[in-house]
Amino acid sequence: MNYTLSSLIFLPLLTALVVLLMPTRMVRGIKAVTLGGTLLQLVVAVWLYLGFDGAAMANGQTGYQFVEKLDWIGFSLGSLGRFQIEYFVGVDGVSISMVLLTGIVGVIGVISSWNITKNVKGYFSLYLLLMTSVMGCFLALDFFLFYLFFEFMLLPMYFLIGMWGGPKREYAALKFFIYTLIGSLFILIVMIGLYTSVIDPEATAQQMGLIGQHVPASLDLIRQVQQMLQQGTIAEADMVRTFSIPAMMEPSNFIPGSLLHVFSGVSLFDLPLRFVAFLLVLAGFLIKVPSVPVHTWLPDAHVEAPTPISVLLAAILLKVGGYGLIRIVYPVFPDAGAYFSTFVGGLGVLSIIYGALCALAMNDLKKLIAYSSVSHMGFVLLGLASLTNEGVNGAIYMMFSHGLISAMLFLVVGVIYDRAHDRMILNFRGLAKRMPAYTAFVVVAFFASLGLPGFSGFIAELLVLLGSFSAPEATGMLPRWMAIVAVIGLLLSAAYYLWALQRMFFGKYWIFPELRQKAIIHDLTKREYLMLVPLAVLAFVFGIFPHLLLDKTGMTVTGFTELVLRNGQEQLNILQAILHR
């Protein structure tokens, strides 16, 4: 078995243990060890990206690469069957992009953290634990394992904001914790419901004695077990329920009569229980995206978080929400995904416009960028809701692109805040005269984010708009007006970026009088170049050569859309037949 994915997940954790064993006074040593650990993780992530076969189809229970699957927790429940949790990780075209992004941003975040002086050991230990949790989320194929990593993200982020943040850090950290915890509880309820409704056909075949323990089942045997399950000829004691996400994607693995089986006929609030479960888990991940109207924790968290943590939050933590929608919500509940496509697309459009309007009204540069993140992540929802190949590819590309560009945006905010301890747009003018190199990177970051051709953001927005515009004919999922309204969001993004650029960087040099005593305005340092140059280059490279990512995601997305559309339509027809009896 290849342990590449385990090394990706646990390298930061091992590095954190080393950091914890180091004397507190070894500040530079702690930073160097942390940088070394994240660099090693990046090397493994790049190696994985280069070795990933983008032509392999990831559909249902097949197509995942570098898979590691081990029994973790398992015991007999007597007449109730067997309880089973697996250490099950793998990578496909969706997760490979997030793995690469996490490796890149992890290193940039450490470089950005070099000026941290307060409780250095605690800060970098929590930082590394956060990196382990995020990477685990992107690689887990067992729902319980995914949920474990998802929950572990809460604690380090709570303390990183609450201990190293701004004046209102406790309020922002608590708000982040409460919102995310509520979303986690929604996901937990659905996870338990799915576990009681789904079996692992291979483990069930072993439990029935059809094959020996640890002997892989053939495809024919799996189909035989699934057929026996639907016919009701498998005894309860022989059923091995599972948290396996690929198993949950296969309708034939649902136990007849279980709560979330399509034939269950159970309803709540006049909706099939499967639809209610979809809405709960959708809400759980939308809080993480975040989408309007559950976005209000994000601006506070960004404003109060230290710059490196804002970078991690925007670049990779928000992507866990979008990733959860693609990995779990739509494949497991394709019927509800098809039924609520207009609702999800509408939330995306609402986020695009509302986030852009809020950004336009902001005087705090960091808050402006926080609301721009809400707006840009709306494109992820719109592309996903279209269920077209272009739209879903665009959603994944937007998550990757936004990760690079948002990291760069929050870093440039951190640069001016480090010098003036202020980030109000109206308190600065003519900065281009004193900080020409810094201004150049701000221009690159702003133009990349607003979707200028030649940068990765343009490719992402183009694919999403193509997918959502063609959705009425291709999949019948979205009305065309949604794509048209989304274009207005692009115009608004150009407005708030260009207006901020004009006010802060052009004209005669001036800063607010109260800042002149303490502000030390100078251009970029070598460390700041080291943070910004790689991100600018990558945003340009993936804007000019989109095939570098699309070749990795294409076949997975094709499998995803085919699976969701096929299963979704079949299950919708069944549900409609049941409801109209």
Side-chain angles (χ1 to χ4, degrees):
M1 186 182 293
N2 189 312
Y3 292 99
T4 304
L5 302 188
S6 290
S7 64
L8 264 174
I9 295 170
F10 295 111
L11 262 173
L13 184 61
L14 292 174
T15 307
L17 293 175
V18 173
V19 166
L20 288 172
L21 292 173
M22 296 176 70
T24 304
R25 66 179 182 276
M26 294 181 63
V27 173
R28 291 183 65 86
I30 289 170
K31 293 176 180 178
V33 168
T34 304
L35 180 60
T38 53
L39 278 171
L40 189 56
Q41 186 186 44
L42 174 59
V43 169
V44 178
V46 171
W47 180 85
L48 184 75
Y49 171 82
L50 295 175
F52 179 81
D53 181 9
M57 179 76 78
N59 190 348
Q61 299 197 66
T62 62
Y64 299 100
Q65 299 175 41
F66 301 92
V67 172
E68 300 171 31
K69 190 174 184 180
L70 301 169
D71 291 336
W72 180 20
I73 302 171
F75 52 85
S76 175
L77 296 175
S79 62
L80 297 177
R82 181 174 175 79
F83 182 83
Q84 174 179 285
I85 299 174
E86 296 172 316
Y87 176 77
F88 184 15
V89 293
V91 66
D92 65 356
V94 179
S95 50
I96 191 66
S97 58
M98 297 297 99
V99 166
L100 181 62
L101 176 65
T102 303
I104 294 167
V105 174
V107 174
I108 299 296
V110 174
I111 299 172
S112 175
S113 303
W114 217 254
N115 286 341
I116 294 291
T117 56
K118 175 186 174 183
N119 193 358
V120 173
K121 181 192 284 192
Y123 174 89
F124 283 104
S125 299
L126 290 169
Y127 182 98
L128 290 163
L129 179 59
L130 183 62
M131 292 300 298
T132 288
S133 303
V134 173
M135 192 66 83
C137 278
F138 290 139
L139 295 174
L141 293 177
D142 181 276
F143 204 160
F144 183 88
L145 186 64
F146 173 91
Y147 187 78
L148 202 64
F149 286 123
F150 189 81
E151 285 293 275
F152 275 165
M153 285 192 298
L154 268 175
L155 290 178
M157 181 57 76
Y158 172 79
F159 287 113
L160 286 166
I161 296 174
M163 294 178 66
W164 286 272
K168 297 181 181 178
R169 56 186 179 272
E170 293 90 353
Y171 166 78
L174 186 61
K175 193 173 182 180
F176 161 80
F177 189 89
I178 291 173
Y179 267 77
T180 310
L181 184 62
I182 291 171
S184 298
L185 291 176
F186 290 158
I187 296 169
L188 177 62
I189 292 169
V190 177
M191 183 181 76
I192 294 171
L194 284 167
Y195 178 79
T196 63
S197 303
V198 179
I199 68 159
D200 181 337
E202 184 173 86
T204 299
Q206 294 170 353
Q207 182 80 355
M208 295 170 66
L210 300 178
I211 54 173
Q213 294 294 322
H214 307 296
V215 176
S218 66
L219 185 58
D220 288 338
L221 181 58
I222 288 175
R223 287 174 177 166
Q224 179 187 340
V225 171
Q226 291 171 337
Q227 187 176 14
M228 291 171 65
L229 177 70
Q230 300 307 315
Q231 292 171 349
T233 58
I234 299 179
E236 183 78 19
D238 289 330
M239 293 182 186
V240 180
R241 290 169 173 81
T242 183
F243 287 103
S244 167
I245 295 171
M248 293 173 179
M249 293 162 60
E250 178 55 61
S252 300
N253 292 331
F254 280 78
I255 303 168
S258 61
L259 288 174
L260 295 179
H261 191 279
V262 70
F263 282 120
S264 70
V266 180
S267 61
L268 187 65
F269 307 118
D270 293 327
L271 284 174
L273 194 60
R274 284 180 58 84
F275 285 13
V276 176
F278 170 86
L279 292 173
L280 282 175
V281 74
L282 175 71
F285 286 117
L286 286 181
I287 289 171
K288 204 72 175 179
V289 168
S291 167
V292 176
V294 288
H295 68 289
T296 57
W297 64 270
L298 182 68
D300 292 318
H302 269 312
V303 167
E304 299 304 324
T307 297
I309 305 309
S310 285
V311 168
L312 288 190
L313 178 59
I316 52 179
L317 262 73
L318 303 189
K319 309 307 174 289
V320 174
Y323 177 80
L325 296 176
I326 299 172
R327 170 63 69 228
I328 298 171
V329 180
Y330 271 77
V332 176
F333 299 103
D335 47 346
Y339 185 83
F340 288 107
S341 60
T342 302
F343 172 70
V344 175
L347 287 178
V349 173
L350 179 63
S351 297
I352 291 169
I353 301 301
Y354 180 83
L357 289 173
C358 288
L360 197 59
M362 291 299 113
N363 182 39
D364 185 328
L365 185 59
K366 201 173 189 183
K367 238 177 187 179
L368 181 152
I369 293 168
Y371 276 110
S372 79
S373 290
V374 174
S375 180
H376 283 89
M377 290 302 288
F379 282 97
V380 175
L381 296 181
L382 182 62
L384 178 58
S386 74
L387 289 178
T388 60
N389 285 350
E390 298 91 344
V392 179
N393 267 310
I396 297 169
Y397 213 97
M398 175 59 78
M399 290 197 294
F400 182 82
S401 170
H402 181 262
L404 297 175
I405 297 169
S406 65
M408 194 175 177
L409 287 167
F410 281 105
L411 286 174
V412 297
V413 174
V415 167
I416 193 64
Y417 188 78
D418 286 344
R419 286 152 176 73
H421 299 289
D422 189 274
R423 51 176 181 262
M424 295 297 158
I425 295 172
L426 295 179
N427 288 349
F428 301 92
R429 195 181 306 129
L431 288 176
K433 289 183 169 58
R434 292 289 184 94
M435 307 173 72
Y438 170 68
T439 303
F441 280 103
V442 171
V443 169
V444 169
F446 281 11
F447 278 68
S449 186
L450 63 83
L452 186 74
F455 292 101
S456 56
F458 171 75
I459 302 296
E461 291 168 353
L462 177 65
L463 288 171
V464 169
L465 292 174
L466 285 174
S468 55
F469 198 81
S470 63
E473 291 82 15
T475 60
M477 289 297 133
L478 296 177
R480 186 165 284 119
W481 64 262
M482 287 190 176
I484 297 171
V485 174
V487 174
I488 299 173
L490 302 182
L491 300 176
L492 291 172
S493 67
Y496 60 72
Y497 279 130
L498 293 176
W499 194 27
L501 196 65
Q502 178 192 17
R503 287 181 290 171
M504 286 189 74
F505 294 92
F506 300 121
K508 184 179 179 182
Y509 174 74
W510 175 88
I511 64 172
F512 192 65
E514 291 184 9
L515 299 178
R516 293 171 188 170
Q517 298 274 332
K518 58 182 180 179
I520 305 174
I521 304 298
H522 59 84
D523 218 341
L524 298 175
T525 64
K526 291 179 181 178
R527 180 180 65 87
E528 290 161 347
Y529 276 113
L530 199 58
M531 296 186 302
L532 294 170
V533 169
L535 294 172
V537 170
L538 287 170
F540 180 74
V541 167
F542 282 96
I544 299 298
F545 305 107
H547 69 274
L548 293 174
L549 195 64
L550 293 176
D551 285 351
K552 303 291 185 181
T553 65
M555 289 302 291
T556 298
V557 168
T558 299
F560 169 86
T561 54
E562 288 178 356
L563 179 85
V564 173
L565 289 171
R566 182 184 67 248
N567 291 349
Q569 194 56 56
E570 289 175 359
Q571 293 174 10
L572 268 180
N573 291 338
I574 293 170
L575 282 169
Q576 288 172 353
I578 292 172
L579 292 173
H580 287 94
R581 281 178 183 174

